[in-house]
Amino acid sequence: MKTSISTPIKAIALATLCFSGSALADKVLLKTPIAFGTHLPALGTPIKWVSERIQPVSGNTIKMKVYEPGKLVAPLEILDAVSSGKVNSGYATAGYWQGKMPAAALFSAVPFGPEAPEYMAWMFYGNGLKLYQGMYDEAGYNVKVLPCAIISPETSGWFKKPIEKPEDLKGLTMRFFGLGGQVMEKLGVGTVQLPGGEIFGALEKGAIDASEFSQPAIDQRLGFHKIVKYNYFPGWHQQATMFELLINKDTWNKMDEDQQSAVETLCLASMTNSIAEGEAMQFEAMQKAQEQGVELRYWNEEMLNLFESTWLEVVEEQKKDPYFAKVWADMSDFRKNYQIWESKGFLPRGQ
Amino acid sequence: MKTSISTPIKAIALATLCFSGSALADKVLLKTPIAFGTHLPALGTPIKWVSERIQPVSGNTIKMKVYEPGKLVAPLEILDAVSSGKVNSGYATAGYWQGKMPAAALFSAVPFGPEAPEYMAWMFYGNGLKLYQGMYDEAGYNVKVLPCAIISPETSGWFKKPIEKPEDLKGLTMRFFGLGGQVMEKLGVGTVQLPGGEIFGALEKGAIDASEFSQPAIDQRLGFHKIVKYNYFPGWHQQATMFELLINKDTWNKMDEDQQSAVETLCLASMTNSIAEGEAMQFEAMQKAQEQGVELRYWNEEMLNLFESTWLEVVEEQKKDPYFAKVWADMSDFRKNYQIWESKGFLPRGQ
C-alpha cells in the first residue's frame, strides 16, 4: 500500500517542477519551406543552422522541419502559403514579394543601400522592423516576420568584355534580378531572370552575354568563370541581403512568450552567424577565380555614378506606391543622419 | 477506487512529457559581476539584455544575476574570481587581462584591426575562437569563454588644440587605455589610465591635456566637450571592441547540452543586438557635439600612417610573448586573405 500513497506525491512533485518552466507549453512543429537550397553557403545554410538549434533554445517545445525549394511549396508562393496557413512558416527574402508589394524590396537588399551593420541599426534601433511588419499587416498578410539572416555583398556581375563606359552596356543581354535589373534596363541592357542552375547553359549558348547571380563563393560553384572572364565589383545592387523567417500569425499568437522569445533570439543569433560565414568565405573564391584567369575589376567612378543616378530614377518611379515612399523616406532619413558617423568613425578601407 | 488507478497513469504521463525536454536539467544561477555599469549604452547594456533573456531560451533552467562593477568583484579581478569559482561567471573584455596574458588584447580590440564583420568572421569561421579559449586553457584558467557582444568604433580622443603633425603630440599628458596607449607613449605622450568618472575633473584641473575614453554617445555623457573642443576620428586604436562572458568551467561542464546551446545562442544574438545599438546611437551624439561647438576632425594621412607604423613597433615588442605571436600570426594571415574581398566587395564609404 506504500506505493499507492507515494505515487500521487511524486505526481505533484513532477507537476510543480514542470509548471515552473515552459515544459507544458503547446509543442509546435514549424513546417518550413525555403527559397534557397540548404547546400548553398550563406543563402541556404542559415536556416539549416536555425533548424538545428531551435529545440534546445525553446526548451524542446519547438521543432522545425525544413523543406528544400519546391518540395512542399514553390519559392514564390511561400508568403501566400504561410499567410493562408497551408504551412505555418517559411524562409525567403522579402525581395521575392516585390511584385505584390514594391516596398518589400527595401527589406531585402537596397541598391546603394546600407551595409549589414547600418542595415541592422535601422532595422532594430530605427523604424525598420516596425515598417517591415506593418507592410505585411497593411497588405492583409497574416504573418509575423523575423529578420533571420543577413549576408555580405554580391558581385555585380560577369561580362565577356571590359565595361568601361556607359556605351559598353548598350545592347547586352544579361541575367539580372530585382531593382538592380530595372537600373540595367534603363541603361540599355535587355535583362532576363533565370534561376541559378540555368545561367551557365545560357552563357555557353550565347543566349545571354552577361550575368549577375550572387556572391563570389556561390558564383564559383556555378562555373561562370569558365566562359566569362570579367567579374565586376562592388555589387552596388546588393551590399547586404536580409532573409526572413515568416510565421503564420495564428501560430505565432498561440506560442507562449518564452517560445516567441526563443525564436526571436535564435534569429538574431543567426544574423551574427551568417555575417561571419559570408565574410569568411569570399576571399578564397576570389583567389581561385584569379588563378583561373578571371579579372576582378572594380567599377570606375563614372560607371558607379551612372548606376547610382539611374537607381534614383527607379526610386522615383517606385515611390508612386505609398508604402514604398514611406519606407524609403524613413530609411533615407536614418541614412542621412548615419552619414556623419560613417564618414568619421571608420578607418579607410584597405586597398 | 477509480482515482487510485488513474493517478499513477497521470504521473507517468507527466513524467514522459517532462523528461523529453530539459525541464529536469540542473538549474543554474549565474552570479555575474560585470566590468561596465549597465547604465552605459553599448558598454553595459548588452549583458543586461542577455540576463533578461536567459530564462526563456534556457527553458527556465538558467537565471543570471548581474552585479554592477565593484559590488561583488572588482572589474580587474573578474577573471580570477570566475576561474577560482568565487563566482561562476563574469562579463568583461579580454583587454582587462593583458597584464597577465599579452595576447588577451587581441581578443578585445586591435589597433588598425578588423571592423566587426571581419572580426566575427575570424572569430567564428577562422581560428579566433579556438585560440581565444586556448589562451585561457594554456594559462591555467578554469574558464569557458563566449564572445557575447561587439561594439562599433571609439573616437580616438579629445584635445585642446588641433593635432596636425607629429610634433603636436609631444609633451602632452593624455588619458589612454591599452595597446593604443603604448603607441602614444612612443610618440612622446605621457599617458595615464583614469576611470571614466575621473576624466572630466582631470581635464578641468589641467592634470591632463587630452583624453580618449569611448564612443561618441558615451563620451557625450561624460561632458568632455565642455572643456576640450577637438574630437578626433577615426578611433584607430579600437575599430571594434569585443566583450566576453566567462563561465567557470566546472559550472559549464555541469550544464547539459541544451543549456550550453542556449547560452551560446544568446551570446551570438547579443552580438547582433550590440552592433545594431552601437551603430544607431553615435550620430545623434556627434550632431549634438557639433552644436556645442566641438570640431569633429579626421586624422590626416601623415598622422594615421604614423600611428600605424608605431603600432607595428609595439606589435614587435609584444611578440616576445609566444602566445601573442601565435595569435597575431593567425589573425594577420586571415586579414591578408580578407583584403582582396575588403577592397573589392564594398562601395566606397560616404564622405
Side-chain angles (χ1 to χ4, degrees):
Chain A
M1 288 305 285
K2 240 187 161 180
T3 29
S4 70
I5 293 167
S6 65
T7 306
I9 294 167
K10 273 188 199 154
I12 290 161
L14 275 164
T16 309
L17 193 60
C18 294
F19 277 105
S20 73
S22 60
L24 290 190
D26 283 344
K27 299 215 172 188
V28 179
L29 172 63
L30 294 175
K31 297 178 84 163
T32 312
I34 62 179
F36 311 95
T38 55
H39 65 293
L40 291 174
L43 280 176
T45 46
I47 191 63
K48 184 161 181 276
W49 189 92
V50 165
S51 71
E52 287 165 357
R53 278 158 186 79
I54 202 161
Q55 286 186 264
V57 301
S58 68
N60 283 297
T61 67
I62 305 177
K63 280 189 193 181
M64 180 182 284
K65 183 162 165 49
V66 163
Y67 295 86
E68 296 292 333
K71 292 284 175 196
L72 186 63
V73 175
L76 286 168
E77 288 161 18
I78 288 174
L79 172 60
D80 286 330
V82 177
S83 179
S84 69
K86 183 181 170 187
V87 288
N88 57 9
S89 61
Y91 182 78
T93 185
Y96 271 41
W97 334 126
Q98 73 188 60
K100 306 168 195 279
M101 297 168 291
L106 301 175
F107 300 104
S108 179
V110 184
F112 294 93
E115 294 173 19
E118 183 186 2
Y119 211 174
M120 298 194 301
W122 174 70
M123 187 60 73
F124 298 115
Y125 283 83
N127 296 319
L129 191 55
K130 201 175 119 196
L131 290 164
Y132 197 176
Q133 182 64 52
M135 174 183 75
Y136 288 121
D137 294 346
E138 282 200 17
Y141 288 101
N142 190 39
V143 298
K144 165 79 181 176
V145 65
L146 298 117
C148 206
I150 187 165
I151 63 171
S152 46
E154 298 202 344
T155 87
S156 57
W158 297 77
F159 296 84
K160 286 183 186 164
K161 294 178 189 168
I163 308 291
E164 286 170 354
K165 49 191 189 305
E167 296 73 44
D168 295 339
L169 286 176
K170 289 200 199 313
L172 292 183
T173 302
M174 183 169 187
R175 187 269 179 199
F176 216 109
F177 181 76
L179 290 169
Q182 294 183 39
V183 171
M184 297 306 269
E185 283 278 341
K186 280 182 179 286
L187 296 174
V189 176
T191 67
V192 291
Q193 292 199 10
L194 293 174
E198 293 177 24
I199 297 172
F200 184 87
L203 282 170
E204 202 173 28
K205 285 179 205 140
I208 55 176
D209 305 302
S211 180
E212 68 81 46
F213 181 63
S214 188
Q215 303 180 310
I218 296 173
D219 287 2
Q220 178 73 38
R221 296 187 167 214
L222 299 180
F224 305 156
H225 58 274
K226 293 177 193 159
I227 310 173
V228 279
K229 295 289 187 188
Y230 295 91
N231 188 194
Y232 273 85
F233 295 84
W236 51 268
H237 62 306
Q238 277 182 251
Q239 281 285 289
T241 307
M242 209 173 285
F243 296 84
E244 62 183 18
L245 179 63
L246 293 170
I247 299 184
N248 177 278
K249 214 181 241 180
D250 299 331
T251 302
W252 179 257
N253 289 337
K254 272 183 214 151
M255 291 185 188
D256 68 22
E257 273 182 35
D258 285 2
Q259 289 175 315
Q260 291 177 348
S261 178
V263 177
E264 282 170 344
T265 302
L266 185 52
C267 277
L268 289 173
S270 170
M271 297 186 92
T272 290
N273 177 59
S274 57
I275 289 175
E277 184 184 15
E279 291 293 303
M281 75 183 182
Q282 309 308 332
F283 55 72
E284 200 181 323
M286 291 170 81
Q287 288 161 348
K288 203 166 158 189
Q290 279 184 323
E291 288 162 19
Q292 290 159 336
V294 171
E295 269 198 40
L296 306 175
R297 293 199 166 200
Y298 199 87
W299 291 112
N300 65 39
E301 209 178 320
E302 183 193 12
M303 293 303 298
L304 270 186
N305 288 342
L306 178 68
F307 290 134
E308 186 163 18
S309 59
T310 311
W311 157 242
L312 293 174
E313 290 174 24
V314 172
V315 168
E316 287 310 308
E317 293 164 11
Q318 296 290 322
K319 275 166 67 178
K320 287 174 195 151
D321 177 81
Y323 208 88
F324 185 101
K326 186 175 173 180
V327 179
W328 177 258
D330 188 83
M331 181 187 274
S332 299
D333 187 46
F334 185 92
R335 299 203 72 202
K336 200 175 149 193
N337 279 313
Y338 184 84
Q339 202 173 10
I340 189 174
W341 167 244
E342 183 181 16
S343 66
K344 295 263 187 312
F346 299 90
L347 279 165
R349 278 218 168 94
Q351 296 303 316
Chain B
M1 288 306 285
K2 239 185 161 180
T3 29
S4 70
I5 294 167
S6 64
T7 306
I9 294 167
K10 273 186 198 157
I12 290 161
L14 275 166
T16 308
L17 194 58
C18 294
F19 277 105
S20 73
S22 60
L24 291 189
D26 283 344
K27 300 213 172 190
V28 179
L29 172 64
L30 294 175
K31 297 178 85 163
T32 312
I34 61 178
F36 311 94
T38 56
H39 65 293
L40 291 174
L43 280 176
T45 47
I47 190 63
K48 185 161 180 275
W49 189 92
V50 165
S51 70
E52 287 164 357
R53 279 159 186 78
I54 203 161
Q55 286 186 261
V57 302
S58 67
N60 284 296
T61 66
I62 305 176
K63 279 189 193 183
M64 180 183 283
K65 184 162 165 49
V66 164
Y67 294 86
E68 296 293 333
K71 293 285 176 194
L72 186 63
V73 175
L76 286 167
E77 289 162 18
I78 288 174
L79 171 60
D80 286 330
V82 177
S83 179
S84 70
K86 181 180 170 189
V87 289
N88 57 10
S89 61
Y91 181 78
T93 184
Y96 273 40
W97 333 127
Q98 73 188 62
K100 305 167 195 279
M101 297 167 290
L106 301 174
F107 300 104
S108 181
V110 184
F112 294 93
E115 294 173 19
E118 183 186 1
Y119 211 173
M120 299 194 301
W122 173 70
M123 187 58 73
F124 298 115
Y125 283 83
N127 296 319
L129 191 54
K130 201 174 118 196
L131 290 164
Y132 197 175
Q133 182 65 52
M135 175 183 74
Y136 289 121
D137 294 346
E138 283 200 16
Y141 288 101
N142 189 39
V143 298
K144 163 79 181 177
V145 65
L146 298 117
C148 205
I150 186 166
I151 63 170
S152 46
E154 298 202 344
T155 87
S156 56
W158 297 77
F159 297 83
K160 286 184 185 163
K161 294 177 187 168
I163 309 290
E164 285 170 356
K165 50 191 189 303
E167 296 73 45
D168 296 338
L169 286 176
K170 289 199 200 312
L172 292 182
T173 302
M174 182 169 188
R175 187 270 179 200
F176 216 110
F177 180 75
L179 290 170
Q182 294 184 37
V183 171
M184 297 305 269
E185 283 278 342
K186 280 181 180 285
L187 296 174
V189 176
T191 66
V192 291
Q193 292 200 12
L194 294 174
E198 293 178 23
I199 298 173
F200 183 88
L203 283 170
E204 203 172 27
K205 286 180 206 139
I208 55 175
D209 305 301
S211 180
E212 68 80 47
F213 182 61
S214 188
Q215 303 179 309
I218 297 172
D219 287 0
Q220 179 73 38
R221 296 187 167 213
L222 299 181
F224 305 156
H225 57 276
K226 293 177 192 160
I227 310 175
V228 280
K229 295 290 187 187
Y230 295 92
N231 188 193
Y232 273 85
F233 295 84
W236 52 266
H237 62 306
Q238 276 181 251
Q239 281 286 288
T241 307
M242 208 172 289
F243 297 84
E244 61 184 18
L245 179 64
L246 293 170
I247 299 183
N248 176 277
K249 214 180 241 182
D250 300 330
T251 302
W252 178 258
N253 290 336
K254 274 183 212 151
M255 291 186 188
D256 69 21
E257 273 182 35
D258 287 1
Q259 290 175 314
Q260 291 177 348
S261 179
V263 177
E264 282 170 343
T265 302
L266 184 52
C267 277
L268 290 172
S270 170
M271 297 187 92
T272 290
N273 177 59
S274 56
I275 290 175
E277 184 184 15
E279 291 293 302
M281 74 184 183
Q282 309 308 332
F283 54 73
E284 200 180 324
M286 291 171 81
Q287 288 161 348
K288 205 167 158 188
Q290 278 183 324
E291 288 162 19
Q292 291 160 333
V294 171
E295 269 198 41
L296 306 174
R297 293 199 166 198
Y298 199 88
W299 291 113
N300 65 39
E301 208 178 320
E302 184 192 11
M303 293 302 297
L304 271 186
N305 289 342
L306 178 69
F307 290 135
E308 186 164 18
S309 59
T310 311
W311 157 242
L312 293 175
E313 290 173 24
V314 172
V315 168
E316 288 309 308
E317 292 163 13
Q318 296 290 322
K319 276 165 67 178
K320 287 173 196 152
D321 177 81
Y323 209 87
F324 185 102
K326 186 175 173 179
V327 179
W328 178 259
D330 187 83
M331 182 188 272
S332 299
D333 187 47
F334 186 92
R335 299 203 70 203
K336 200 175 150 193
N337 279 314
Y338 183 83
Q339 202 173 11
I340 189 173
W341 168 242
E342 183 182 16
S343 65
K344 296 263 187 310
F346 300 90
L347 278 164
R349 279 220 168 93
Q351 296 304 316

